[in-house]
Structures are given as C-alpha cells and as structure tokens.
Amino acid sequence: MLKQRLQWLWPTIIPLSPDEQQGDNQWRRSMALSVRDGDWSRDSDVILEESRRLFDAEVDRRKGADAKAGIYLAAITALIPVLVSLIPSLWNDKSSKWLSCLGLFIFAWAVAYLLRAGGWAFKTLKVDGFDVVSPADLAQSWKKGSPKAALAKELSHAVLNNYPKVNRKVTGIKMTHEFLLRAFLTFTILMVLQVAWPVGTWVIGEATKLINPEVIAPLIMCFS
C-alpha cells in the first residue's frame, strides 16, 4: 500500500524481474530464429505486405512519440519562466504566512513534476538507433531464390530489433503524461487553496463572532 502511494506521488518505472526479462529475451530470440529459418517463399506477396505494414507501424509509433515529446518539451520550456514570475504573488506581506508557506510548498512540488515531465520528454527525443532496410539489404535479397521472401525477412528482423527501442520512447511519453497530469492537479490544488483560504478565514471569523458574541458593557451615567 505504501509503495502504491509513493508510486502515485512520484511515478517510477518498475523494471522487469529477472525471470520476466529472461522470458522476454527468449521470446525475441525464438521469433528471430523463426523468421530466419521459416520458409516464406509461399505467398511471398502476402508476407511482404504484412512485413511492410508491421515495419511502417513501428515507424509511425516512433514518429508519434518524437512529435509528442517535442511539443511537450517546447510547452514546458515556455511555461517555466511564467511560473517563476508568480513566486512574488505567493509570498507577500498581505497574505497569511501559513498560506504563503503552504502555497510555496505546493508550487515547488508542481514545478518539480513539470521539470520531471520535461526530463522524460527530453529523454524520449534523444537520438536512438532504429533499424531500417538499406539498399545493400535490397541487393542482397534479390540474390536469393525468393527475393520477396528474403526482403520480408529483412523487414521482420528490423521490426524485432526496433521493438525495444520504440517501446522505450513510448514509455518515455507515458511517463511524461503521468508527470504532466500530476503537475496539472497540483496547480489546481494551489489555485483552489488561494481562493478558499481567504473565504475560509472570513467564515471562521464570522462563526467565532456568532458563537462568542462580543459583550457590550452598558454605559452608566452618574449625576451629582
């Protein structure tokens, strides 16, 4: 329960266990062997079309992750100076010191979420390898007995190699979403606090007056 609450307060990636990692590696190796040793000469047109579709899907996933990361990083970079300019309004002589301290704490927590989201977006944009089919691969495929089947295998190998790389980018975008969501909720709490605190203070003051009304002592005039 405590770990879940900490995970909600500050999301982290939970790595695979050694058994899960071993199973994933074994699955990838078995798939690579199946692609290499399989006879794809039958219905090679269908196999080639499906291989292209899978390869294009990975390209689209990669482009989508990079595009979102670029937008998020630009927005966060532009937003940080605006947020910093709000600090004087959170701490001033007119507001309660308790309100100022609590507001600054929530503000700092929200900015930390925002900066971490920017860090994940930047990490997603970092240059990472991506397997493609080169002209040399095409030339090599057309030396085989079934060129289309050979090309389909090259595309399938590229897809298998790209899975973990693209998954890391998608994970980075998901983590960016998680931190942006928490930053939004934290800023919302800060805004509600700024509005509710003065109202609550006034309500408590009025309630105190009603419960403990001020006793007015009568004036006694003395005549001599």
Side-chain angles (χ1 to χ4, degrees):
M1 183 64 70
L2 179 60
K3 288 184 178 180
Q4 292 179 353
R5 292 180 179 178
L6 292 176
Q7 184 71 14
W8 196 94
L9 285 175
W10 194 264
T12 56
I13 295 178
I14 301 176
L16 296 176
S17 65
D19 292 338
E20 291 173 337
Q21 186 64 52
Q22 184 178 0
D24 183 68
N25 294 336
Q26 186 175 358
W27 175 83
R28 289 181 57 206
R29 285 194 297 267
S30 65
M31 289 299 297
L33 289 175
S34 298
V35 171
R36 187 191 67 182
D37 299 334
D39 182 12
W40 290 12
S41 58
R42 186 177 59 181
D43 294 332
S44 58
D45 290 333
V46 177
I47 292 294
L48 180 58
E49 182 64 27
E50 288 300 311
S51 299
R52 284 174 177 169
R53 184 182 63 81
L54 291 174
F55 183 80
D56 291 340
E58 289 304 295
V59 172
D60 291 340
R61 282 211 308 156
R62 179 174 180 265
K63 288 181 178 179
D66 286 340
K68 290 180 180 179
I71 294 173
Y72 293 152
L73 188 59
I76 293 170
T77 303
L79 191 59
I80 290 297
V82 178
L83 295 176
V84 172
S85 66
L86 297 177
I87 294 178
S89 64
L90 296 174
W91 185 272
N92 54 67
D93 296 333
K94 296 180 180 180
S95 60
S96 168
K97 297 303 179 184
W98 283 105
L99 174 61
S100 298
C101 292
L102 187 58
L104 282 176
F105 175 77
I106 297 175
F107 178 82
W109 196 257
V111 171
Y113 280 141
L114 206 59
L115 291 176
R116 194 67 186 100
W120 274 110
F122 179 77
K123 187 176 181 180
T124 303
L125 280 176
K126 287 177 63 177
V127 177
D128 199 0
F130 190 80
D131 286 24
V132 296
V133 177
S134 66
D137 296 325
L138 290 175
Q140 192 68 25
S141 297
W142 251 252
K143 293 179 181 179
K144 304 293 180 64
S146 179
K148 292 181 179 180
L151 179 57
K153 288 187 176 185
E154 291 291 340
L155 288 170
S156 297
H157 279 299
V159 170
L160 286 174
N161 292 332
N162 288 331
Y163 272 150
K165 301 171 185 177
V166 178
N167 285 342
R168 283 195 294 269
K169 285 183 173 290
V170 174
T171 300
I173 286 298
K174 288 184 177 181
M175 293 300 292
T176 304
H177 287 166
E178 292 292 329
F179 279 100
L180 284 177
L181 174 62
R182 283 157 178 78
F184 171 76
L185 292 176
T186 309
F187 279 120
T188 302
I189 292 173
L190 178 61
M191 293 176 60
V192 171
L193 178 67
Q194 293 290 323
V195 174
W197 188 284
V199 176
T201 303
W202 177 81
V203 169
I204 292 174
E206 293 298 319
T208 303
K209 291 179 181 179
L210 292 175
I211 296 173
N212 299 314
E214 183 180 355
V215 179
I216 301 176
L219 295 176
I220 300 176
M221 299 182 65
C222 297
F223 297 93
S224 58

